[in-house]
PDB file of all heavy atoms in Angstrom:
ATOM      1  N   HIS B 311     -66.334 158.587 107.195  1.00 96.00           N
ATOM      2  CA  HIS B 311     -65.852 158.056 105.920  1.00 96.00           C
ATOM      3  C   HIS B 311     -66.944 158.061 104.857  1.00 96.00           C
ATOM      4  O   HIS B 311     -66.867 158.828 103.902  1.00 96.00           O
ATOM      5  CB  HIS B 311     -65.286 156.638 106.065  1.00 96.00           C
ATOM      6  CG  HIS B 311     -64.752 156.117 104.757  1.00 96.00           C
ATOM      7  ND1 HIS B 311     -65.514 155.367 103.902  1.00 96.00           N
ATOM      8  CD2 HIS B 311     -63.554 156.286 104.156  1.00 96.00           C
ATOM      9  CE1 HIS B 311     -64.804 155.088 102.821  1.00 96.00           C
ATOM     10  NE2 HIS B 311     -63.624 155.629 102.949  1.00 96.00           N
ATOM     11  N   CYS B 312     -67.946 157.203 104.983  1.00 95.00           N
ATOM     12  CA  CYS B 312     -68.894 156.962 103.901  1.00 95.00           C
ATOM     13  C   CYS B 312     -69.588 158.241 103.431  1.00 95.00           C
ATOM     14  O   CYS B 312     -69.669 158.515 102.225  1.00 95.00           O
ATOM     15  CB  CYS B 312     -69.924 155.937 104.329  1.00 95.00           C
ATOM     16  SG  CYS B 312     -69.197 154.409 104.972  1.00 95.00           S
ATOM     17  N   MET B 313     -70.114 159.008 104.362  1.00 97.00           N
ATOM     18  CA  MET B 313     -70.806 160.239 104.012  1.00 97.00           C
ATOM     19  C   MET B 313     -69.846 161.292 103.474  1.00 97.00           C
ATOM     20  O   MET B 313     -70.097 161.933 102.451  1.00 97.00           O
ATOM     21  CB  MET B 313     -71.543 160.797 105.239  1.00 97.00           C
ATOM     22  CG  MET B 313     -72.335 162.063 104.964  1.00 97.00           C
ATOM     23  SD  MET B 313     -73.022 162.779 106.489  1.00 97.00           S
ATOM     24  CE  MET B 313     -71.540 163.497 107.227  1.00 97.00           C
ATOM     25  N   THR B 314     -68.701 161.439 104.139  1.00 97.00           N
ATOM     26  CA  THR B 314     -67.810 162.542 103.789  1.00 97.00           C
ATOM     27  C   THR B 314     -67.116 162.329 102.447  1.00 97.00           C
ATOM     28  O   THR B 314     -66.886 163.288 101.713  1.00 97.00           O
ATOM     29  CB  THR B 314     -66.785 162.783 104.921  1.00 97.00           C
ATOM     30  OG1 THR B 314     -66.169 164.059 104.726  1.00 97.00           O
ATOM     31  CG2 THR B 314     -65.693 161.724 104.963  1.00 97.00           C
ATOM     32  N   VAL B 315     -66.781 161.079 102.082  1.00 95.00           N
ATOM     33  CA  VAL B 315     -66.124 160.874 100.779  1.00 95.00           C
ATOM     34  C   VAL B 315     -67.102 161.150  99.639  1.00 95.00           C
ATOM     35  O   VAL B 315     -66.698 161.590  98.555  1.00 95.00           O
ATOM     36  CB  VAL B 315     -65.516 159.461 100.648  1.00 95.00           C
ATOM     37  CG1 VAL B 315     -64.401 159.256 101.670  1.00 95.00           C
ATOM     38  CG2 VAL B 315     -66.567 158.365 100.770  1.00 95.00           C
ATOM     39  N   SER B 316     -68.388 160.902  99.879  1.00 95.00           N
ATOM     40  CA  SER B 316     -69.392 161.253  98.879  1.00 95.00           C
ATOM     41  C   SER B 316     -69.511 162.770  98.748  1.00 95.00           C
ATOM     42  O   SER B 316     -69.522 163.317  97.639  1.00 95.00           O
ATOM     43  CB  SER B 316     -70.741 160.646  99.263  1.00 95.00           C
ATOM     44  OG  SER B 316     -71.766 161.080  98.381  1.00 95.00           O
ATOM     45  N   LEU B 317     -69.584 163.455  99.876  1.00 97.00           N
ATOM     46  CA  LEU B 317     -69.685 164.918  99.852  1.00 97.00           C
ATOM     47  C   LEU B 317     -68.442 165.563  99.246  1.00 97.00           C
ATOM     48  O   LEU B 317     -68.522 166.617  98.612  1.00 97.00           O
ATOM     49  CB  LEU B 317     -69.919 165.436 101.269  1.00 97.00           C
ATOM     50  CG  LEU B 317     -71.270 165.072 101.901  1.00 97.00           C
ATOM     51  CD1 LEU B 317     -71.312 165.502 103.368  1.00 97.00           C
ATOM     52  CD2 LEU B 317     -72.425 165.710 101.125  1.00 97.00           C
ATOM     53  N   ALA B 318     -67.292 164.928  99.416  1.00 97.00           N
ATOM     54  CA  ALA B 318     -66.046 165.459  98.841  1.00 97.00           C
ATOM     55  C   ALA B 318     -66.095 165.462  97.317  1.00 97.00           C
ATOM     56  O   ALA B 318     -65.374 166.231  96.665  1.00 97.00           O
ATOM     57  CB  ALA B 318     -64.851 164.630  99.316  1.00 97.00           C
ATOM     58  N   GLN B 319     -66.940 164.605  96.749  1.00 93.00           N
ATOM     59  CA  GLN B 319     -67.103 164.559  95.293  1.00 93.00           C
ATOM     60  C   GLN B 319     -68.282 165.423  94.832  1.00 93.00           C
ATOM     61  O   GLN B 319     -68.695 165.341  93.676  1.00 93.00           O
ATOM     62  CB  GLN B 319     -67.349 163.116  94.845  1.00 93.00           C
ATOM     63  CG  GLN B 319     -66.237 162.145  95.204  1.00 93.00           C
ATOM     64  CD  GLN B 319     -66.628 160.711  94.881  1.00 93.00           C
ATOM     65  OE1 GLN B 319     -66.737 160.331  93.715  1.00 93.00           O
ATOM     66  NE2 GLN B 319     -66.854 159.906  95.912  1.00 93.00           N
ATOM     67  N   GLY B 320     -68.805 166.234  95.740  1.00 95.00           N
ATOM     68  CA  GLY B 320     -69.984 167.020  95.416  1.00 95.00           C
ATOM     69  C   GLY B 320     -71.231 166.174  95.362  1.00 95.00           C
ATOM     70  O   GLY B 320     -72.215 166.517  94.701  1.00 95.00           O
ATOM     71  N   GLY B 321     -71.196 165.048  96.077  1.00 95.00           N
ATOM     72  CA  GLY B 321     -72.265 164.067  95.992  1.00 95.00           C
ATOM     73  C   GLY B 321     -73.368 164.240  97.007  1.00 95.00           C
ATOM     74  O   GLY B 321     -73.443 165.230  97.742  1.00 95.00           O
ATOM     75  N   GLU B 322     -74.200 163.202  97.073  1.00 95.00           N
ATOM     76  CA  GLU B 322     -75.404 163.213  97.890  1.00 95.00           C
ATOM     77  C   GLU B 322     -75.103 163.073  99.374  1.00 95.00           C
ATOM     78  O   GLU B 322     -75.861 163.548 100.217  1.00 95.00           O
ATOM     79  CB  GLU B 322     -76.318 162.067  97.419  1.00 95.00           C
ATOM     80  CG  GLU B 322     -77.658 161.999  98.074  1.00 95.00           C
ATOM     81  CD  GLU B 322     -78.521 160.894  97.488  1.00 95.00           C
ATOM     82  OE1 GLU B 322     -78.179 160.357  96.425  1.00 95.00           O
ATOM     83  OE2 GLU B 322     -79.545 160.572  98.114  1.00 95.00           O
ATOM     84  N   GLY B 323     -74.009 162.386  99.713  1.00 96.00           N
ATOM     85  CA  GLY B 323     -73.682 162.173 101.123  1.00 96.00           C
ATOM     86  C   GLY B 323     -74.705 161.289 101.801  1.00 96.00           C
ATOM     87  O   GLY B 323     -75.141 161.560 102.919  1.00 96.00           O
TER      88      GLY B 323
END
Side-chain angles (χ1 to χ4, degrees):
H311 182 267
C312 307
M313 182 187 75
T314 195
V315 296
S316 174
L317 293 173
Q319 301 173 70
E322 185 177 347

